[in-house]
Amino acid sequence: MTIKTLKVSLNPLVLAAGWYQEPATGQWYYYDENGKRYVYVAGYLYAMMLWEPAPKVVNVKHGDTLRILVSFKYSGPAKTGKLYGAVGQKYPLNVFDEILKATSPSFTIPESTTPTVRTAQVDIPITTAIAAGKSYSIYAKLIDGISFKEDETGSKALEDAVFVVSAEPTFSEFKITDYKVP
Amino acid sequence: MAGTYTEIIEIVAPDKAVAGQVVNIEVKIKNKYTSPIGVMVGGALEYGVSPWPGITFPANWANVSGGATQPFSGYFTMPSAKVKIHAYSYYYGVDGLWHWDDEKTKEVALTELVPVFTEFKITDYRAV
């Protein structure tokens, strides 16, 4: 195994495939041939994501469905694919912990000789696997024989894009606002 | 080998193209004469069995000054096979007829489409 010393910040540099170790912390990272980064923790490799603040917060409740819509440009032969979407949390080292996930039905991306905009969507059922009163992040990617690369075949993780509201009646801030002789 | 009054200097075309792609080309023809003459271009795609399909030149003739080179733009649709562009030049004679004068060829190879994805982004998300 060839070891390379990590000298600069990981994000957003693209490095050659291989293992890297951050000298300050001793943390190991792995870059694959597509530039995808992984962090090595306790014998496992966890995929690291690029993150950005979500443009909006969508309130959902248990029993709802979250629909994620995407667009991308494609040129090449006709190809089948599926859209995968996930709702989860941000872990240290930019790892996306997927809690809810779903895959769209297979669809065909038509052949085109020039980059052409295509769209797709995936529906994710909101279940009690995620807690009410908390915010969660989302991301989506193309799968089914399509490797993941942020901004090309998948999105960055949108932090705190979804807030799970409680379905139970909630009362708060009760107070006497006035009292007088009518 | 150049013609008597015209010479095809160059065929500008890509080295390879994808099947179904519209391929734009340019044929540069020089008037070898000392005075202006009418010059016309023609072309065909050599592949498969003759008769070969033609190449479209929207403006296929011009009066060219003596010694000048005239570019003629044309296009064709790439078939599912490599092709040889066969260009021809003609001069307008005193007899009022067009005379074939020079020819030149250039090959265009067939290339396969490769999947390329870019600009993936989440455009919206909502509860439904």
Side-chain angles (χ1 to χ4, degrees):
Chain A
M1 176 174 74
T2 301
I3 300 171
K4 305 177 183 72
T5 300
L6 194 63
K7 296 179 181 177
V8 296
S9 172
L10 281 173
N11 188 6
L13 287 183
V14 177
L15 302 172
W19 287 94
Y20 292 80
Q21 186 178 35
E22 192 172 39
T25 63
Q27 177 64 54
W28 285 100
Y29 301 89
Y30 179 77
Y31 276 65
D32 66 15
E33 295 73 19
N34 297 317
K36 182 68 181 166
R37 294 152 302 143
Y38 302 82
V39 56
Y40 178 76
V41 178
Y44 290 93
L45 281 173
Y46 295 90
M48 298 170 67
M49 297 277 300
L50 289 176
W51 290 76
E52 63 183 14
K56 65 176 182 180
V57 178
V58 168
N59 291 332
V60 298
K61 58 184 185 297
H62 296 136
D64 282 348
T65 296
L66 178 71
R67 176 165 293 168
I68 300 178
L69 299 97
V70 305
S71 72
F72 55 94
K73 288 187 176 177
Y74 177 76
S75 64
K79 187 173 182 59
T80 58
K82 297 177 183 177
L83 183 65
Y84 175 94
V87 177
Q89 301 177 105
K90 184 177 184 180
Y91 270 10
L93 301 174
N94 293 333
V95 172
F96 191 108
D97 176 41
E98 299 180 5
I99 305 174
L100 301 177
K101 38 208 155 180
T103 302
S104 74
S106 180
F107 54 83
T108 299
I109 308 171
E111 173 186 305
S112 63
T113 54
T114 56
T116 304
V117 176
R118 305 294 179 190
T119 61
Q121 64 183 48
V122 61
D123 290 343
I124 307 173
I126 302 300
T127 72
T128 53
I130 55 176
K134 291 186 65 176
S135 295
Y136 293 89
S137 305
I138 65 172
Y139 88 99
K141 63 181 179 182
L142 294 170
I143 61 169
D144 197 16
I146 303 170
S147 58
F148 176 63
K149 196 163 188 180
E150 279 118 344
D151 299 333
E152 292 184 11
T153 59
S155 73
K156 295 184 177 71
L158 302 185
E159 191 166 4
D160 296 338
V162 170
F163 181 80
V164 184
V165 298
S166 173
E168 298 296 323
T170 304
F171 296 93
S172 64
E173 299 184 34
F174 181 95
K175 61 186 177 187
I176 293 175
T177 58
D178 192 14
Y179 51 94
K180 57 192 177 193
V181 176
Chain B
M1 183 187 301
T4 306
Y5 296 104
T6 64
E7 179 182 359
I8 299 178
I9 301 297
E10 183 183 12
I11 299 174
V12 180
D15 294 330
K16 51 189 176 183
V18 173
Q21 175 187 350
V22 174
V23 181
N24 293 308
I25 70 169
E26 190 174 76
V27 179
K28 298 179 180 177
I29 303 176
K30 180 179 180 178
N31 173 6
K32 296 172 59 180
Y33 197 48
T34 54
S35 298
I37 59 171
V39 173
M40 185 171 71
V41 67
L45 289 181
E46 289 185 22
Y47 79 98
V49 181
S50 174
W52 303 313
I55 298 171
T56 302
F57 291 95
N60 68 339
W61 77 273
N63 289 319
V64 183
S65 302
T69 298
Q70 176 72 32
F72 292 93
S73 297
Y75 61 89
F76 63 91
T77 299
M78 187 71 179
S80 300
K82 68 176 183 180
V83 300
K84 181 183 290 184
I85 299 170
H86 205 133
Y88 306 90
S89 65
Y90 306 79
Y91 67 89
Y92 192 73
V94 294
D95 56 0
L97 298 174
W98 288 101
H99 298 267
W100 169 65
D101 200 34
D102 192 19
E103 61 184 315
K104 198 178 190 71
T105 62
K106 179 181 172 67
E107 291 194 348
V108 179
L110 181 68
T111 188
E112 288 189 8
L113 281 174
V114 178
V116 178
F117 293 90
T118 58
E119 299 183 36
F120 185 102
K121 58 187 174 190
I122 291 176
T123 55
D124 194 17
Y125 49 97
R126 54 181 183 259
V128 297

